């Protein structure tokens, strides 16, 4: 009939101290620890807040070298940007290489490419002989890595590296490489050029334009300019833009290069600008780690700015599928009205014709897949198709679609696996937060034509704050669960032999969604009513006579009664007393949030539920076979989500007026959520409930189908309805214009959808043992930051 929370979790008993001095010492230590933790939290929050104001990018030796090679228009024997040449002289590493310091061993080819480009820049202008010789020694010592398949190759490496070799030969560099090795490198380049030219796709043409510096005079430079952006760059790449300026003397290219140097000084990054993407990644990471509630003002500022850019059609969003998909998903899920129309330019065929499509960028495909799930309108067929083809590509785990990702392979693999296993509507927030902490890459290095780092994308501060915040919230929740356990005992609910005792699961469903400390009242209400709906459901199912059932309804209707004389039995007395005290408690707490007591509204919610349960019990008793419509009109109420979800609406912050409580909007939210859950439950419990002779939506569909429909077809039919209901609920939750129900209140309905998916959908990857472990982890197991950092440092 309702949430089947069939496992229980052991609640550790309170440990009594052996002496007063021990107690005082423990209290003192706890106080010191809390003070230290609070300071750490504030320091991390302050550092993260500063990141919102500035996007930090590492500079690129490779791109700086190409800018340094540009000759002056006034004197072709002198560099146009001598400051870049000086930077190269001053920034060679001790081992003779150029590139990012403290590089990952799998980035050796990146170091070779950056070192070779830097050597050529110095050789071109006839300076830095010692640096040139040290660089060539590094290349010679590490040349074998070119054949290492475990290396993370820079984009275009097979075209760019041979180009550098030939350019170096033209400059008179005696490169220490055997003829056989050189032939193999040239052969690999020529093979790629032949394969690409045979297809002559738009994606191939975009790729050639992106690596134009590796083609030199063989490139059609005028054709390359069609990729020029409004900021004057080609692909936001300083290296490509520098090569184009050298060939064409294009004024817009020059303006771009000068603007980048003005910002970064004497060197350039491998991509610029990156601000929109980096700030969106910050928002995404903070949400995934569960610490976005600390930065609501900063996040709102980022989203407002991104929305303005979206409306203005800014290129840095719409010319990049990754940024476009991320902006769409985050904006839409945060209530901004954004159209899915831009994804027509990234349909399957169009994506394959783009640069990232040609590069088989699984990071871009992953973002497009995530965006495709956020469907809220019935006519968004573009997102339906996008979901199908991106999911198909992502499932090809061993395919070449993970060759070029703008992240390390191991992390992309994890993200892809999680996205395919856990759709966004199946992610309970605390479970997602734990998974994100476990897989978080604190030193994330990304790679394009050269590797780069950006602290806005990943750093230890995010993980530190997430771990500390999780543990603070969990410590509060442990105490709440102990209090709830005492409430169950004091209310004598554990004395009801017919009733399932599912406190841990009821509390988990609240704590996994409403985890911030300020929402304690909402958590308690959610959990207590979850326990009570389980008890009342069992009472009407198997634990009562008809007289007792009617007696409970009468008691709820009259409310103010003499309990000892009005209750038909001890079981009814226990249940009614627990209901009354809980409803009165919520009513009293609602005064703090609403400025009024909402006890009357909650009584109505409970009355509606027990009347629907009585009707269902009567159907079962009389062996009635209602129509499917009759069944559903009652069953969405008897599914028992009303008392769980509706009272917390008054306890999450915003004022909910009496008009809003009675509005059709709120009723639609409740009915849509409950219908979704009822059908999801009935599909998965059909066999068991049929054997028990219980009513079930799937069973009724088959009965009234008169043999014209199979179980399989009826199930498919209902899954379509379930999908429609989920999309409709998301639309109602995200709706801003004309909505009278506050967003914080509406989100409770969506949070319950995630609970239902976890508890009812059989193919969500959970066995009962795994679910038990997950519940225990959320409620009882603190996060160990040192272990997380250690694991992160040991990841490939």
């Amino acid at each position: 009939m309702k949430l089947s929370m069939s496992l229980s979790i052991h609640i550790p008993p309170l440990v009594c101290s052996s002496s007063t001095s021990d107690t005082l010492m423990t209290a003192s230590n706890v106080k010191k620890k809390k003070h230290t933790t609070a300071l750490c939290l504030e320091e991390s929050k302050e550092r993260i807040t500063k990141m919102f104001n500035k996007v930090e990018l590492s500079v690129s030796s490779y791109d700086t070298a190409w800018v340094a090679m540009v000759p002056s228009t006034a004197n072709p024997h002198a560099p146009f940007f001598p400051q870049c040449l000086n930077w190269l002289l001053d920034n060679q590493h001790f081992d003779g290489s150029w590139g990012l310091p403290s590089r990952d061993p799998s980035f050796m080819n990146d170091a070779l490419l950056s070192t070779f480009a830097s050597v050529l820049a110095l050789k071109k202008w006839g300076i830095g002989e010692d640096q040139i010789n040290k660089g060539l020694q590094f290349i010679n010592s590490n040349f074998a890595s070119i054949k290492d398949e475990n290396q993370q190759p820079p984009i275009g490496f097979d075209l760019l590296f041979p180009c550098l070799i030939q350019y170096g030969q033209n400059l008179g560099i005696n490169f220490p490489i055997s003829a056989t090795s050189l032939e193999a490198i040239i052969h690999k380049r020529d093979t790629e050029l032949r394969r690409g030219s045979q297809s002559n796709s738009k994606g191939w043409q975009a790729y050639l334009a992106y690596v134009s510096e590796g083609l030199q005079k063989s490139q059609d430079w005028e054709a390359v300019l069609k990729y020029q952006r409004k900021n004057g760059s080609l692909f936001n790449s300083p290296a490509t833009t520098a090569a184009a300026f050298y060939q064409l003397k294009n004024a817009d290219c020059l303006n771009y290069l000068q603007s980048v140097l003005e910002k970064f000084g004497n060197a350039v990054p491998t991509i610029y600008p990156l601000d929109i993407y980096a700030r969106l990644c910050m928002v995404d990471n903070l949400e995934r780690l569960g610490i976005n509630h600390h930065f609501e003002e900063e996040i709102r500022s980022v989203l407002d700015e991104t929305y303005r850019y979206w409306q203005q059609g800014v290129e840095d969003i719409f010319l990049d599928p990754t940024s476009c998909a991320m902006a769409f998903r985050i904006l839409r899920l945060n209530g901004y009205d954004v159209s899915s129309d831009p994804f027509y330019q990234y349909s399957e065929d169009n994506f394959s014709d783009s640069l990232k499509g040609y590069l088989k960028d699984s990071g871009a495909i992953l973002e497009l897949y995530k965006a495709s799930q956020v469907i809220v309108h019935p006519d968004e067929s573009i997102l339906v198709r996008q979901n199908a083809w991106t999911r198909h590509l992502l499932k090809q785990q061993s395919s070449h679609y993970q060759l070029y990702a703008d992240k390390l392979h191991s992390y992309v693999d994890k993200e892809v696996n999680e996205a395919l296993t856990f759709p966004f509507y199946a992610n309970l927030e605390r479970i997602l937060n734990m998974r994100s902490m476990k897989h978080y890459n604190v030193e994330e290095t990304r790679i394009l034509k050269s590797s780069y780092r950006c602290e806005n994308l990943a750093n230890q501060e995010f993980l530190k704050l997430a771990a500390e915040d999780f543990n603070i919230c969990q410590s509060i929740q442990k105490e709440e669960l102990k209090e709830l356990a005492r409430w169950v005992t004091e209310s004598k609910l554990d004395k009801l032999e017919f009733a399932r005792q599912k406190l841990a699961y009821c509390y988990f469903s609240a704590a996994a969604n409403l985890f911030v400390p300020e929402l304690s009242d909402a958590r308690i209400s959610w959990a207590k009513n979850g326990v009570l709906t389980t008890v009342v459901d069992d009472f009407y199912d198997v634990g009562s006579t008809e007289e007792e059932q009617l007696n409970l309804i009468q008691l709820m209707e009259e409310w103010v009664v003499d309990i000892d004389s009005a209750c038909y039995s001890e079981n009814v007395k226990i249940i009614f007393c627990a209901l009354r005290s809980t409803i009165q408690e919520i009513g009293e707490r609602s005064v703090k949030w609403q400025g009024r007591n909402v006890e009357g509204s909650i009584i109505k919610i409970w009355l509606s539920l027990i009347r629907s349960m009585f009707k269902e019990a009567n159907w079962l008793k009389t062996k009635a076979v209602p129509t499917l419509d009759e069944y559903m009109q009652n069953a969405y109420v008897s599914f028992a989500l009303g008392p769980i979800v509706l009272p917390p609406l008054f306890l999450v912050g915003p004022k909910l007026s009496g008009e809003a409580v009675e509005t059709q909007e709120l009723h639609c939210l409740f009915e849509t959520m409950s219908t979704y859950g009822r059908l999801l439950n009935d599909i998965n419990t059909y066999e068991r409930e049929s054997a028990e002779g219980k009513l079930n939506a799937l069973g009724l569909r088959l009965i009234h189908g008169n043999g014209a429909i199979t179980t399989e077809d009826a199930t498919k039919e209902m899954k379509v309805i379930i999908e429609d209901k989920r999309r409709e609920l998301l639309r109602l939750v995200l709706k801003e214009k004309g909505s009278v129900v506050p967003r914080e209140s509406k989100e409770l309905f969506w949070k319950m959808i995630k609970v239902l998916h976890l508890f009812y959908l059989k193919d969500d990857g959970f066995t009962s043992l795994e679910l038990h472990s997950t519940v225990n982890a959320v409620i009882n197991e603190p996060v160990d930051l040192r272990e997380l950092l250690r694991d992160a440092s040991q990841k490939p």
Side-chain angles (χ1 to χ4, degrees):
M1 301 253 306
K2 56 179 297 300
L3 292 176
S4 302
M5 302 177 183
S6 56
L7 298 178
S8 59
I9 291 179
H10 172 67
I11 303 171
L14 294 174
V15 179
C16 299
S17 301
S18 57
S19 68
T20 303
S21 60
D22 287 344
T23 302
L24 292 175
M25 187 177 298
T26 300
S28 175
N29 290 338
V30 169
K31 188 174 181 180
K32 288 179 181 178
K33 184 177 180 182
K34 285 184 176 180
H35 179 68
T36 303
T37 301
L39 287 177
C40 291
L41 275 176
E42 290 306 313
E43 290 172 359
S44 291
K45 284 160 62 176
E46 184 178 348
R47 283 191 283 266
I48 293 172
T49 298
K50 290 179 180 178
M51 293 180 202
F52 278 99
N53 301 321
K54 189 175 182 180
V55 174
E56 298 284 356
L57 269 175
S58 60
V59 292
S60 163
S61 302
Y62 172 81
D63 289 79
T64 301
W66 278 105
V67 175
M69 282 189 268
V70 175
S72 169
T73 52
N75 179 7
H77 301 294
F80 199 112
F81 302 103
Q83 67 270 42
C84 292
L85 204 59
N86 292 330
W87 186 89
L88 292 173
L89 288 171
D90 295 338
N91 285 276
Q92 187 177 31
H93 299 313
F94 180 77
D95 62 358
S97 70
W98 278 269
L100 286 181
S102 306
R103 60 178 170 266
D104 189 278
S106 66
F107 280 74
M108 184 56 71
N109 286 349
D110 169 58
L112 289 173
L113 195 63
S114 293
T115 301
F116 208 164
S118 301
V119 166
L120 292 181
L122 297 178
K123 182 67 176 178
K124 178 180 177 68
W125 303 116
I127 61 173
E129 184 176 351
D130 287 344
Q131 284 95 333
I132 290 172
N133 290 332
K134 286 181 65 177
L136 290 174
Q137 289 174 9
F138 174 82
I139 294 170
N140 186 46
S141 300
N142 296 283
F143 191 78
S145 70
I146 291 177
K147 299 179 181 179
D148 184 354
E149 294 182 356
N150 293 320
Q151 285 292 312
Q152 179 92 359
I155 294 176
F157 183 80
D158 291 339
L159 295 185
L160 295 171
F161 198 76
C163 160
L164 295 179
I165 292 176
Q166 292 182 329
Y167 191 19
Q169 290 173 337
N170 294 337
L171 292 174
I173 294 179
N174 294 317
F175 187 65
I177 179 175
S178 68
T180 303
S181 297
L182 178 59
E183 182 180 341
I185 293 172
I186 300 299
H187 176 73
K188 193 172 184 179
R189 179 198 65 183
D190 292 344
T191 299
E192 182 171 353
L193 287 171
R194 274 196 307 273
R195 184 176 64 248
S197 61
Q198 287 172 358
S199 71
N200 197 32
S201 67
K202 292 179 180 178
W204 166 251
Q205 293 168 13
Y207 171 63
L208 287 184
Y210 180 59
V211 296
S212 288
E213 70 269 27
L215 301 177
Q216 296 296 309
K217 295 180 180 180
S218 65
Q219 178 64 281
D220 181 353
W221 287 97
E222 293 294 340
V224 169
L225 277 185
K226 73 179 182 180
Y227 299 100
Q228 190 170 39
R229 299 191 175 189
K230 292 178 181 179
N231 62 15
S233 78
L234 293 165
F235 304 98
N236 284 343
S237 165
T240 311
T241 308
F245 175 66
Y246 176 41
Q247 296 292 334
L248 300 171
K249 304 301 182 289
N250 179 274
D252 290 332
C253 288
L254 176 59
N255 290 337
Y256 168 77
L257 294 173
Q258 289 174 329
S259 69
V260 178
L261 285 168
E262 183 178 339
K263 180 175 180 62
F264 289 89
N266 300 330
V268 296
T270 196
I271 182 172
Y272 179 82
L274 196 67
D275 291 34
I276 294 175
Y277 173 74
R279 288 193 171 99
L280 284 172
C281 281
M282 276 191 72
V283 173
D284 197 34
N285 280 328
L286 293 173
E287 289 180 346
R288 289 178 62 82
L289 291 169
I291 49 178
N292 52 305
H293 59 279
H294 292 297
F295 308 97
E296 291 180 356
E297 183 178 336
E298 291 81 3
I299 289 173
R300 180 57 60 183
S301 177
V302 169
L303 297 184
D304 285 344
E305 182 181 50
T306 305
Y307 185 56
R308 286 196 300 272
Y309 291 150
W310 183 280
Q311 291 178 308
Q312 295 164 7
V314 170
E315 286 183 335
D316 287 336
I317 291 179
F318 293 104
L319 290 184
D320 175 45
T322 311
S323 297
C324 182
M326 186 180 292
F328 172 82
R329 171 173 57 87
I330 295 175
L331 285 174
R332 179 169 274 194
L333 288 177
N334 280 277
Y336 292 82
D337 183 17
V338 288
S339 169
S340 56
D341 288 349
F343 292 114
Y344 283 102
Q345 69 175 321
Y346 296 118
S347 63
E348 184 171 10
D349 291 338
N350 290 340
F351 179 76
S352 64
D353 282 339
S354 69
L355 174 60
K356 288 197 171 182
Y358 176 79
L359 294 176
K360 314 297 188 283
D361 188 335
S362 61
I365 299 169
L366 177 60
E367 285 301 333
L368 288 168
Y369 173 68
K370 289 179 180 179
S372 72
Q373 298 178 57
V374 193
I375 300 174
V376 297
H377 301 300
D379 57 347
E380 293 189 303
S381 58
I382 181 62
L383 293 181
V384 175
R385 293 193 296 272
Q386 183 172 302
N387 183 270
W389 70 262
T390 53
R391 182 176 180 83
H392 173 71
L393 293 183
L394 292 174
K395 288 176 74 173
Q396 298 177 354
Q397 292 291 339
S398 61
S399 78
H400 55 280
Y401 268 87
Q402 294 183 26
L403 177 59
Y404 288 115
D406 190 19
K407 299 180 182 180
L408 287 177
H409 287 166
S410 58
Y411 292 97
V412 176
D413 290 346
K414 289 184 177 71
E415 286 185 37
V416 168
N417 182 61
E418 288 182 6
L420 293 175
T421 306
F422 304 101
F424 84 104
Y425 55 82
N427 271 319
L428 266 73
E429 290 180 44
R430 245 6 186 183
I431 299 176
L432 172 64
N433 300 156
M434 290 192 302
R435 225 169 35 236
S436 297
M437 282 187 277
K438 183 178 180 181
H439 296 155
Y440 191 70
N441 180 6
V442 294
E443 298 292 346
E444 185 169 10
T445 301
R446 302 194 176 201
I447 189 163
L448 294 168
K449 283 187 287 190
S450 71
S451 58
Y452 70 99
R453 292 181 185 136
C454 175
E455 69 170 8
N456 303 75
L457 303 180
N459 59 68
Q460 289 191 16
E461 295 300 331
F462 290 6
L463 189 60
K464 285 168 60 178
L465 180 58
E468 292 289 357
D469 188 72
F470 183 94
N471 289 339
I472 288 173
C473 293
Q474 189 185 68
S475 65
I476 294 170
Q477 291 161 11
K478 284 181 180 178
E479 294 305 312
E480 289 176 352
L481 186 55
K482 291 175 184 176
E483 288 296 326
L484 286 167
R486 282 192 283 271
W487 166 75
V488 168
T489 303
E490 291 168 1
S491 300
K492 300 182 181 180
L493 294 174
D494 56 335
K495 303 298 183 183
L496 300 173
E497 295 181 1
F498 61 83
R500 293 164 290 170
Q501 301 298 320
K502 307 305 164 200
L503 171 61
Y505 270 29
C506 292
Y507 183 73
F508 161 77
S509 67
N513 278 313
L514 307 168
F515 53 84
V516 298
E518 297 78 15
L519 296 181
S520 177
D521 288 346
R523 281 193 299 276
I524 297 298
S525 168
W526 182 302
K528 281 190 174 182
N529 280 310
V531 170
L532 290 171
T533 54
T534 305
V535 169
V536 173
D537 181 49
D538 291 343
F539 174 77
Y540 277 91
D541 250 0
V542 295
S544 61
T545 63
E546 184 175 353
E547 289 77 12
E548 287 176 312
Q549 294 171 3
L550 289 169
N551 182 223
L552 182 58
I553 294 173
Q554 182 183 13
L555 290 169
M556 292 294 293
E557 290 172 339
E558 295 181 6
W559 194 245
V560 179
V561 296
D562 177 56
I563 292 175
D564 290 328
S565 61
C567 293
Y568 188 85
S569 67
E570 181 65 19
N571 285 351
V572 173
K573 180 179 179 180
I574 290 172
I575 294 173
F576 178 68
C577 287
L579 282 171
R580 189 163 72 169
S581 63
T582 299
I583 292 170
Q584 289 173 340
E585 176 190 321
I586 296 171
E588 291 167 2
R589 294 188 178 188
S590 69
V591 175
K592 176 182 70 175
W593 296 89
Q594 300 293 323
R596 61 192 173 90
N597 191 312
V598 299
E599 180 181 306
S601 295
I602 302 172
I603 293 172
K604 289 180 181 179
I605 293 167
W606 267 103
L607 264 172
S608 178
L609 173 61
I610 60 177
R611 285 167 179 162
S612 71
M613 286 182 168
F614 177 74
K615 187 173 187 177
E616 208 166 86
N618 193 51
W619 276 342
L620 188 61
K621 177 184 175 183
T622 61
K623 302 188 183 309
V625 182
T627 66
L628 184 55
D629 285 343
E630 289 173 335
Y631 169 79
M632 288 305 302
Q633 280 300 308
N634 187 72
Y636 83 84
V637 179
S638 69
F639 192 55
L641 296 184
I644 300 174
V645 176
L646 297 179
L649 297 177
F650 301 106
L651 305 172
V652 293
K655 295 290 180 67
L656 201 61
S657 66
E659 293 76 14
V661 172
E662 301 296 331
T663 186
Q664 183 65 22
E665 180 186 7
L666 192 60
H667 176 75
C668 285
L669 284 159
F670 173 60
E671 183 176 4
T672 304
M673 170 196 67
S674 296
T675 301
Y676 171 91
R678 168 57 73 185
L679 292 177
L680 192 64
N681 171 70
D682 283 10
I683 284 175
N684 286 287
T685 60
Y686 165 66
E687 291 186 4
R688 175 176 60 80
E689 292 191 335
S690 293
E692 295 173 356
K694 294 181 179 179
L695 293 172
N696 181 287
L698 182 57
L700 287 172
R701 177 68 182 92
L702 294 172
I703 291 171
H704 294 298
N706 297 317
I709 187 171
T710 65
T711 303
E712 183 179 358
D713 289 340
T715 302
K716 289 180 180 178
E717 183 179 278
M718 288 196 173
K719 284 184 176 179
V720 170
I721 299 173
I722 290 170
E723 179 79 7
D724 289 343
K725 290 296 179 181
R726 189 181 69 241
R727 292 176 181 174
E728 172 65 10
L729 181 64
L730 183 60
R731 186 188 68 79
L732 290 169
V733 170
L734 299 181
K735 180 183 177 183
E736 294 284 340
K737 188 176 181 180
S739 175
V740 297
V741 182
R743 175 68 185 271
E744 293 92 331
S745 300
K746 292 193 290 185
E747 283 181 348
L748 294 183
F749 296 94
W750 186 251
K751 292 177 188 297
M752 178 53 84
I753 282 285
K754 297 179 180 182
V755 175
L756 296 173
H757 185 91
L758 176 64
F759 284 156
Y760 282 124
L761 203 59
K762 292 182 178 179
D763 59 355
D764 64 351
F766 282 95
T767 64
S768 58
L769 181 61
E770 289 169 333
L771 184 54
H772 181 283
S773 175
T774 300
V775 173
N776 196 53
V778 169
I779 296 177
N780 288 321
E781 296 175 5
V783 171
D784 188 330
L785 177 61
R786 290 172 298 180
E787 183 179 326
L788 291 175
L789 292 173
R790 184 174 62 250
D791 290 347
S793 66
Q794 293 173 352
K795 289 172 184 174

